[in-house]
Amino acid sequence: MAQRPLSPHLQIWRWGPHMLVSILHRATGDGLALVGLAVLVWWLGALASGPEAYETFVWAAASPIGYIVMIGLTWAFFTHLMSGLRHFVLDIGAGYELDTNRFWSILSPLIAIVLTVAVWTYIFVRDGGLG
């Protein structure tokens, strides 16, 4: 008895897509809270500080690293949103069937990728980017 774990652990459970979605939900929430908040505060500060500060923000956001950060935040937003909607459905008691749960666990990150590509395609087609 002393060798057995007190509760189920990673050695007991088989890896599944629902575990990945759960981990992504937590990671994207943290990323949005930390990186997203920093970008938002910088943007608001630049707006309040005048045209030169705002131009500096736009220059940084339109740089290659800025695009990576902004696209990453968009992906994190949609991933967190889709996972949150999936959890909402589970919270009301639906979607616990194994096939349904697996289907939505696989589909929710894919939908997030499609939405991210759609948003950034729209941004680039509409006016050629952020700047």
Side-chain angles (χ1 to χ4, degrees), residues 44-66:
L44 289 173
L47 279 174
S49 298
E52 292 147 11
Y54 188 72
E55 284 300 317
T56 302
F57 173 81
V58 170
W59 172 82
S63 71
I65 292 174

Side-chain angles (χ1 to χ4, degrees), residues 80-101:
H80 197 75
L81 175 69
M82 295 311 301
S83 178
L85 291 173
R86 179 182 164 271
H87 280 279
F88 177 71
V89 171
L90 292 172
D91 286 345
I92 62 173
Y96 278 103
E97 301 79 20
L98 291 178
D99 290 338
T100 304
N101 193 340

Side-chain angles (χ1 to χ4, degrees), residues 31-41 73:
L32 289 169
L34 297 173
V35 178
L37 181 62
V39 171
L40 177 66
V41 168
L73 284 172

Side-chain angles (χ1 to χ4, degrees), residues 5 7-8 21 25 42 51 54 56 75 113 119:
S7 63
V21 170
H25 185 73
W42 184 17
Y54 188 72
T56 302
W75 170 81
I113 291 169
V119 164

